[in-house]
Amino acid sequence: MEQDKNLYGKIVAQTINDRVMSEVDYLKNKGVYPKLTVILVGEDPASKVYVRRKEKTSQKLGIISETIYLEEKTSEIELLSLIDKLNADRENHGILVQSPLPDQINENKIIIKIDPAKDVDCFHPQNVGLLVSGNPYVLPCTPAGIVEILKYYDIAVSGKNVVVLGRSNIVGKPMANLLLQKNENANATVTVVHSRTNDIEFYTKNADILIAAIGKAHFVKKDIIKEGAVIIDVGINRIEADNEKGYALAGDVDFEDVLPKVSRITPVPGGVGPMTIAMLMQNTITTAAFQNGIEIKK
Ligand code: GUN
């Protein structure tokens, strides 16, 4: 039988969720009821799906969840004053404003308005700074989820050549910073390549671990990877399809094409996706504990 090369984020997420559930109990025994508030502005269909998933997972794990739906035409000032209110609410420990936001709202202004103590996304410059300087408070959700997958499957990262494809603030940049940390789950030699990189293949062909977060369906093919590479596919792209919905989801990696050449690979769906929410739940515990002066032992 063919060896199963898949890295199942779904399974790893379950182990994180189990830990979070016991931490929720621990906090509740101390009188703290962890609560996450998610704000969705507008009608983006993919965002609606993500926000519902976050709510469902919170409820499953015993985290109080509130989702605030705001109209597409909501002004920046309205959103900023809502964040002010949530920052001041001692019963609320985490604030997530779902991205992307409508054009009239400057995302950077929103990010810096959120109290860093409640920043479950790790988007606030204070939290990004703590990560970069090697003393993180919360962790960036998707990158931290990828580290958990590598850890669970015993994939050595220390000393390896890791190439991150994409330089977004949400995945590429924090991913690189997390893998540069001085610890056994990191210690990687990290290269970030992006749309303006000359000769992307030069780097990807030398990658022991390739993390694709470029937002282009099936960008990674077998001819640009190293034999035996570990491939992590962060992409969730909508491509036209001849089905009821009219679209299908495709990763940044051409799975069938690269499969014979890789040692391990995350599928889409069921790979990285479930980890993002699991790590968000973990961050909510971190913020709830911190705001109440409680230490969670790891
Ligand atoms: N949009 C897509 N993924 C995310 C995420 O992890 N956090 C936020 N705030 N918005 C997103």
Side-chain angles (χ1 to χ4, degrees), residues 204-273:
T204 56
K205 278 179 174 165
N206 200 29
D208 302 310
I209 301 173
L210 177 64
I211 302 174
I214 200 168
K216 288 186 184 157
H218 295 169
F219 179 87
V220 176
K221 310 266 188 207
K222 65 173 180 297
D223 50 328
I224 72 161
I225 67 165
K226 182 177 173 177
E227 184 80 45
V230 173
I231 308 284
I232 306 291
D233 189 352
V234 185
I236 313 176
N237 308 287
R238 283 191 178 197
I239 55 168
E240 253 184 63
D242 204 5
N243 60 20
E244 265 172 43
K245 290 185 190 158
Y247 70 87
L249 294 180
D252 288 354
V253 178
D254 189 337
F255 185 92
E256 301 301 333
D257 188 56
V258 301
L259 190 61
K261 201 172 176 183
V262 305
S263 64
R264 308 302 303 259
I265 182 167
T266 58
V268 175
V272 174

Side-chain angles (χ1 to χ4, degrees), residues 62-246:
I63 293 172
I64 302 167
S65 153
E66 185 178 3
T67 308
I68 301 176
Y69 293 91
L70 299 176
E71 287 179 32
E72 181 82 32
K73 62 177 202 300
T74 301
S75 71
E76 191 176 275
I77 291 189
E78 281 173 282
L79 182 53
L80 289 170
S81 72
L82 173 60
I83 293 170
D84 258 337
K85 219 179 79 193
L86 294 168
N87 281 343
D89 178 0
R90 286 188 52 84
E91 304 294 306
N92 179 66
H93 309 103
I95 303 169
L96 182 144
V97 179
Q98 185 69 21
S99 158
L101 287 166
D103 290 345
Q104 74 276 14
I105 300 176
N106 178 332
E107 195 160 332
N108 277 322
K109 284 194 190 163
I110 302 306
I111 287 171
I112 60 171
K113 186 69 169 177
I114 294 172
D115 179 348
K118 300 191 178 189
D119 170 32
V120 286
D121 268 320
C122 193
F123 286 172
H124 191 286
Q126 179 176 312
N127 290 325
V128 176
L130 286 170
L131 170 70
V132 173
S133 57
N135 181 31
Y137 165 54
V138 282
L139 295 173
C141 297
T142 302
I146 291 169
V147 169
E148 291 292 340
I149 291 177
L150 296 169
K151 207 159 89 178
Y152 180 88
Y153 284 99
D154 263 331
I155 294 168
V157 178
S158 190
K160 300 290 181 195
N161 286 338
V162 179
V163 171
V164 179
L165 202 47
R167 55 172 157 178
S168 67
N169 286 334
I170 182 164
V171 183
K173 281 192 265 183
M175 184 78 252
N177 277 309
L178 204 50
L179 292 172
L180 274 177
Q181 305 278 310
K182 253 189 206 174
N183 67 60
E184 276 311 302
N185 301 313
N187 287 337
T189 303
V190 184
T191 309
V192 182
V193 301
H194 50 78
S195 54
R196 296 289 192 275
T197 300
N198 287 329
D199 198 359
I200 282 185
E201 286 182 44
F202 172 80
Y203 302 96
T204 56
K205 278 179 174 165
N206 200 29
D208 302 310
I209 301 173
L210 177 64
I211 302 174
I214 200 168
K216 288 186 184 157
H218 295 169
F219 179 87
V220 176
K221 310 266 188 207
K222 65 173 180 297
D223 50 328
I224 72 161
I225 67 165
K226 182 177 173 177
E227 184 80 45
V230 173
I231 308 284
I232 306 291
D233 189 352
V234 185
I236 313 176
N237 308 287
R238 283 191 178 197
I239 55 168
E240 253 184 63
D242 204 5
N243 60 20
E244 265 172 43
K245 290 185 190 158

